[in-house]
């Protein structure tokens, strides 16, 4: 049973491997400091924060989020550490609240690896504070305890760090804010929160009736799921001797879900992603033969339509892969730290340092390390098999807006009558699971502009692609994205304009030009560039004034409300200072009124502008024309490798889709 703490109260900790779960309701910075017996941090190397998230025995989130999970291994803490302080702070300049008093009280929960709550503290009574020491884990006579602190600081993170004994507190607070800003720019936005009726929520699995859980399955409950092999991340110490009686979790790395502990086949039904109620029930897999795992089905998520169910299912797979990889990496880190600690102990003992006794001890430590890593990899492989099986049925079922260009669904494409809820920008994968690709789906309408980086990019193999080739690939990527956006919208609801000052992108733009889907020929030369930017800026101004004045009816009768995509090639060539100002304005204000940017540029080409353009780059979602590990997930902060969705060489599918769009426009006229 989880102990509810009040300020100043402590509670003993019976486990050394813990998770600290933070729920704040709005994005906050989560950090931690280590302190000695005098309660002082000995230097910057004793602070874990988004810019330096990992310390021995401690890992914090790499970016701001409304919910965090901090991993703590008290056994791996240095001997000099007597206290671990968990800190929360509101990010500066993020457009959010400036004080905790304007929010619901955040809560911090200490749990075991299986999600079982140990202690929870709701930080009430905050007002003008923008940073707070939430709780502390402290060592007392070789025993660890948790204490609810709730000490707030109106002076923000700098004042808090200064109170921790760090003389460089202001500089450190500034570097943390810079890391937060960088993280926001590279993070994939999580889906917006949905109501229980439409969300594919991650609920605790329904217990399975069996020998250890007698009783019939309740009416309306999901069918029993087959048992799974025990996991080292389940309800026991994953690094000690196996405990056959420990509880297990269902699904990849999902603390809190229960399933049988006995061995068995892979559970493909994802009980951790079942919903409590759905407006439209997802498809059900056919009954599996006795003793065989249930097969995955496409659309196994809640939603009003098949598109929404598939969207929720893809994001569920994305989160599952992020969390199961985090569990694997955490297990390997623990095994490495344990091996290092055991080897240090061997070296510190003169009796075991040399000779056969020392060799045997080192071999035993290495064998234990290999066993732990192999055990973690086996669990990872099991979870990957489950997700791969799901991906194999989901990918062919995706609608055109979600599908890759080599999906046969494009061969039957017709212009839709309603826009989809999301669009595929490419694929994501992690090094531990390279063959498994997760579609990168973003909600429509786009909330941020897109930036295809045509600058120098180091390939994953260490190669440096030719700059001319990169620029051409970047334009091809932009054209493929523009074609997707055109194909996803009904006739007359989306238009594309192009700025190509020097005409360097003419070859890549040919499919758009030849099919006649552009609103106007690509703008070349300084005069035409200024004209296009001026008209779009005026459009944004007019719509914003009408919306803010609640006077949309006052817009001219012939005012074009079509959503606009502006492709900008070779920035900043052909742009004067006024054009740069217009472009920044469109990036910031355009998405809210239906004007979106798709920039093809290299940041180094605009280096002459210095920090003036930093807000522009941060406001855009960076994509690359070649695989690059620059995107972060919103849960754990892994660096994911992004691959653009390009048309296969020799395929005519792009021209076919654009022809369908152009013909639909002609018929409408």
């Amino acid at each position: 049973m989880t102990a509810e703490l009040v300020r100043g109260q402590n509670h003993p900790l019976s486990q050394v491997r813990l998770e600290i779960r933070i729920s704040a309701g709005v994005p906050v910075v989560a950090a931690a400091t280590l302190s000695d017996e005098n309660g002082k941090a000995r230097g910057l190397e004793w602070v874990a924060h988004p810019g330096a998230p990992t310390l021995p025995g401690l890992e914090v989130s790499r970016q701001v989020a409304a919910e965090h999970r901090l991993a703590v291994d008290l056994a791996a803490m240095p001997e000099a550490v007597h206290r671990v302080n968990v800190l929360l702070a509101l990010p500066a300049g993020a457009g959010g609240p400036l004080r905790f008093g304007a929010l619901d009280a955040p809560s911090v929960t200490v749990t075991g690896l299986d999600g079982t709550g140990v202690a929870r503290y709701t930080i009430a009574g905050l007002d003008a504070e923008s940073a707070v020491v939430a709780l502390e884990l402290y060592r007392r006579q070789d025993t660890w305890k948790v204490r609810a602190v709730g000490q707030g600081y109106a002076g923000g993170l700098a004042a808090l760090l200064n109170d921790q004994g760090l003389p460089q507190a202001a500089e450190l607070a500034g570097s943390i804010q810079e890391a937060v800003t960088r993280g926001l720019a590279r993070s994939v936005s999580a889906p917006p929160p949905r109501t229980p009726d439409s969300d594919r929520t991650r609920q605790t699995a329904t217990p399975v009736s069996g020998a250890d859980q007698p009783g019939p399955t309740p009416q309306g409950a999901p069918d029993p799921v087959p048992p799974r092999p025990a996991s080292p991340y389940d309800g026991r110490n994953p690094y000690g001797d196996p405990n056959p009686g420990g509880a297990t979790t269902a699904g990849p790395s999902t603390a809190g879900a229960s399933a049988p502990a006995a061995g068995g086949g892979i559970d493909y039904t994802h009980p951790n992603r079942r919903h409590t109620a759905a407006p439209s029930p997802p498809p059900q897999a056919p009954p599996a033969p006795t003793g065989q795992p249930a097969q995955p089905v496409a659309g196994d998520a809640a939603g009003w339509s098949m598109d929404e169910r598939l969207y929720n299912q893809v994001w569920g797979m994305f989160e599952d892969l992020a969390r199961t990889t985090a569990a694997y990496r955490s297990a390997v880190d623990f095994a490495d730290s344990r091996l290092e600690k055991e080897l240090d102990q061997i070296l510190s003992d003169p009796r075991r340092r040399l000779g056969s006794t020392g060799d045997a001890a080192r071999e035993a430590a290495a064998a234990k390390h290999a066993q732990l890593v192999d055990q973690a990899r086996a669990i990872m492989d099991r979870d990957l098999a489950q997700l791969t099986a799901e991906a194999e049925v989901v990918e062919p079922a995706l609608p055109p807006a979600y599908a890759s260009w080599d999906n046969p669904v494009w061969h039957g494409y017709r212009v839709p009558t309603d826009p989809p809820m999301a669009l595929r920008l490419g694929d994501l994968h992690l090094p531990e699971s390279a063959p498994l690709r997760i579609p990168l789906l973003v909600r429509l309408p786009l909330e941020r502009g897109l930036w295809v980086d045509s600058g120098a990019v180091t390939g994953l193999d260490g190669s440096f692609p030719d700059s001319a080739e990169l620029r051409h690939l970047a334009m091809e990527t932009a054209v493929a994205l523009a074609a997707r956006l055109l194909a996803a919208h009904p006739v007359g609801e989306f238009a594309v304009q192009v700025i190509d000052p020097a005409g360097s992108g003419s070859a890549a733009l040919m499919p758009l030009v030849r099919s006649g889907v552009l609103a106007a020929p690509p703008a070349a030369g300084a005069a035409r560039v200024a004209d296009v930017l001026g008209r779009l800026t005026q459009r944004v101004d007019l719509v914003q004034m009408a919306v803010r004045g609640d006077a949309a009816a006052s817009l001219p009768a012939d005012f074009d409300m079509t959503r606009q995509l502006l492709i900008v090639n070779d920035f900043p060539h052909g742009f004067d200072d006024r054009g740069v100002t217009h472009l920044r304005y469109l990036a910031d204000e355009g998405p809210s009124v239906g004007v979106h940017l798709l920039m093809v540029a290299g940041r180094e080409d605009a280096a002459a502008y210095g920090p003036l353009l930093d807000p522009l780059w941060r406001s855009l979602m960076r994509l690359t024309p070649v695989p690059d590990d620059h995107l972060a997930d919103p849960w754990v902060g892994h660096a994911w490798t992004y691959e653009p969705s390009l048309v296969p060489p020799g395929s005519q599918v792009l021209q076919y889709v654009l022809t369908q769009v152009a013909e639909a426009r002609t018929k409408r006229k």
Side-chain angles (χ1 to χ4, degrees):
M1 182 176 178
T2 306
E4 296 286 349
L5 304 182
V6 297
R7 185 172 182 175
Q9 185 179 358
N10 61 39
H11 187 77
L13 297 174
S14 59
Q15 306 176 52
V16 294
R17 297 265 299 164
L18 303 165
E19 269 193 352
I20 299 177
R21 302 184 179 186
I22 298 167
S23 179
V26 299
V28 297
V29 180
T33 60
L34 307 180
S35 302
D36 57 20
E37 65 276 10
N38 298 317
K40 300 298 182 183
R42 295 188 175 180
L44 301 182
E45 67 278 5
W46 276 29
V47 183
H49 57 83
T54 304
L55 295 178
L58 177 64
E59 183 172 3
V60 303
S61 303
R62 291 167 169 79
Q63 58 199 43
V64 297
E67 295 186 0
H68 293 270
R69 291 191 181 188
L70 282 58
V72 180
D73 179 8
L74 298 174
M77 291 289 170
E79 291 294 332
V81 172
H82 287 254
R83 189 179 302 170
V84 181
N85 307 284
V86 178
L87 322 176
L88 304 181
L90 294 172
L98 301 178
R99 59 188 185 90
F100 279 108
L103 311 174
D104 292 336
S107 65
V108 184
T109 306
V110 179
T111 75
L113 290 182
D114 61 348
T116 302
V118 177
R120 178 167 52 242
Y121 172 44
T122 300
I123 313 171
L126 297 177
D127 186 11
E129 298 88 346
S130 59
V132 60
V133 179
L135 52 77
E136 64 181 12
L137 312 179
Y138 65 98
R139 192 202 314 250
R140 185 65 53 83
Q141 298 178 347
D142 295 329
T143 300
W144 285 91
K145 296 183 179 182
V146 57
R147 176 187 289 122
V149 180
Q151 176 63 55
Y153 294 82
L157 196 54
L160 186 156
L161 294 172
N162 184 67
D163 199 37
Q164 295 280 315
L166 291 164
Q168 313 93 335
E171 293 81 357
L172 178 57
S175 66
I176 292 174
Q177 180 59 39
E178 290 179 7
V180 167
T181 302
R182 290 194 302 268
L184 287 172
R186 65 191 289 265
S187 175
V188 178
S189 300
R194 289 175 290 274
T195 63
D197 287 341
S198 62
D199 189 15
R200 172 180 170 155
T201 53
R202 311 176 67 79
Q203 302 290 341
T204 302
T206 302
V208 179
S209 296
D212 58 340
Q213 293 173 319
T217 301
Q219 185 176 1
D223 293 335
V225 296
R228 299 171 33 152
S231 164
Y233 313 115
D234 299 336
R236 54 185 172 84
N237 184 344
Y239 307 106
D241 295 331
N243 174 12
T248 62
T249 59
S253 182
T254 52
S258 59
I266 298 173
D267 171 18
Y268 288 102
T269 57
H270 278 276
N272 58 306
R273 288 195 262 122
R274 286 194 182 123
H275 53 280
T276 54
S280 179
Q284 298 297 319
T290 303
Q292 297 295 321
Q295 296 302 307
V297 293
D300 186 15
W304 289 98
S305 65
M306 188 62 173
D307 281 8
E308 185 176 3
R309 293 198 295 268
L310 287 168
Y311 172 81
N312 291 338
Q313 186 172 15
V314 167
W315 269 89
M317 295 165 59
F318 187 12
E319 182 176 358
D320 280 350
L321 183 55
R323 295 198 185 282
T324 196
T325 303
Y328 169 73
R329 291 179 179 179
S330 178
V332 173
D333 287 345
F334 173 82
D336 291 343
S337 64
R338 178 169 176 168
L339 174 63
E340 183 178 354
K341 188 173 183 178
E342 290 181 352
L343 291 178
D344 287 343
Q345 291 174 346
I346 294 171
L347 291 174
S348 64
D349 186 351
R351 296 170 299 177
R352 304 172 61 194
R353 188 179 304 160
L354 301 174
S356 58
T357 302
D359 292 340
R362 283 187 285 271
E363 290 176 2
K368 191 179 298 181
H369 174 272
Q371 180 185 8
L372 291 173
V373 173
D374 291 346
Q375 186 181 23
R377 185 70 225 190
I379 300 303
M380 175 84 169
D381 289 343
R382 181 201 64 197
D383 292 344
L384 289 180
Q386 176 175 337
L387 288 169
T388 300
E390 188 172 13
E392 288 174 352
V393 298
V394 168
E395 187 71 40
L398 296 176
Y402 301 179
S404 59
W405 284 110
D406 58 0
N407 192 313
V409 72
W410 284 107
H411 297 292
Y413 167 78
R414 293 295 182 269
V415 178
T417 56
D418 296 298
M421 69 181 298
L423 190 84
R424 185 174 187 152
L425 298 184
D427 295 330
L428 298 171
H429 66 87
L430 292 168
E432 292 89 348
S433 53
L436 177 59
R437 265 43 176 186
I438 302 294
L440 173 56
L441 303 181
V442 296
R443 291 291 292 264
L444 292 179
L446 296 173
E447 297 179 355
R448 299 169 64 184
L450 304 175
W451 163 33
V452 182
D453 191 351
S454 61
V457 177
T458 304
L460 296 180
D461 58 357
S463 61
F464 294 90
D466 177 74
S467 60
E469 180 187 1
L470 270 176
R471 293 179 187 274
H472 181 72
L473 282 174
M475 274 305 296
E476 285 190 341
T477 302
V479 168
L481 291 170
R484 276 185 177 276
L485 284 163
L486 282 167
H489 287 81
V491 177
E493 292 191 12
F494 199 84
V496 176
Q497 300 188 55
V498 178
I499 288 179
D500 188 17
S504 59
S506 56
L509 289 168
M510 191 55 64
L512 297 177
V513 175
R514 187 167 50 216
S515 60
V517 295
L518 293 179
R528 290 198 60 196
V529 168
D531 178 62
V532 172
L533 291 174
R535 284 188 288 106
L536 287 176
T537 300
Q538 185 180 36
R539 181 187 190 278
V540 172
D541 284 338
L542 285 174
V543 176
Q544 279 193 337
M545 286 189 292
V547 171
R548 291 170 181 170
D550 196 19
S554 65
L555 289 170
D558 59 348
F559 188 83
D560 184 10
M561 294 296 293
T562 303
R563 288 191 172 274
Q564 303 282 332
L565 176 71
L566 177 62
I567 302 177
V568 179
N569 184 36
D570 263 0
F571 176 80
H573 303 301
F575 285 77
D576 55 18
D577 290 346
R578 184 179 178 85
V580 171
T581 301
H582 282 167
L583 200 65
R584 286 186 55 185
Y585 179 74
L586 293 176
D588 291 337
E589 306 295 337
S592 63
V593 292
V595 176
H596 310 279
L597 282 184
L598 174 50
M599 289 187 58
V600 181
R603 190 166 184 171
E604 63 275 10
D605 294 336
Y609 287 92
L612 176 67
L613 291 181
D614 286 351
L616 172 65
W617 306 121
R618 287 197 297 264
S619 68
L620 304 173
M621 182 176 181
R622 178 175 176 256
L623 306 175
T624 53
V626 295
D628 185 64
D629 56 348
H630 67 280
L631 290 178
D633 64 79
W635 305 285
V636 186
H638 293 315
W640 292 73
T641 297
Y642 165 80
E643 291 188 15
S645 181
L646 296 174
V647 179
S651 173
Q652 298 299 312
V653 66
L654 182 65
Q655 198 60 49
Y656 167 76
V657 170
L658 293 175
T659 300
Q660 293 294 316
V661 173
E663 289 179 353
R665 289 182 178 180
T666 303
K667 293 177 182 178
R668 186 171 183 264
K669 294 179 180 178

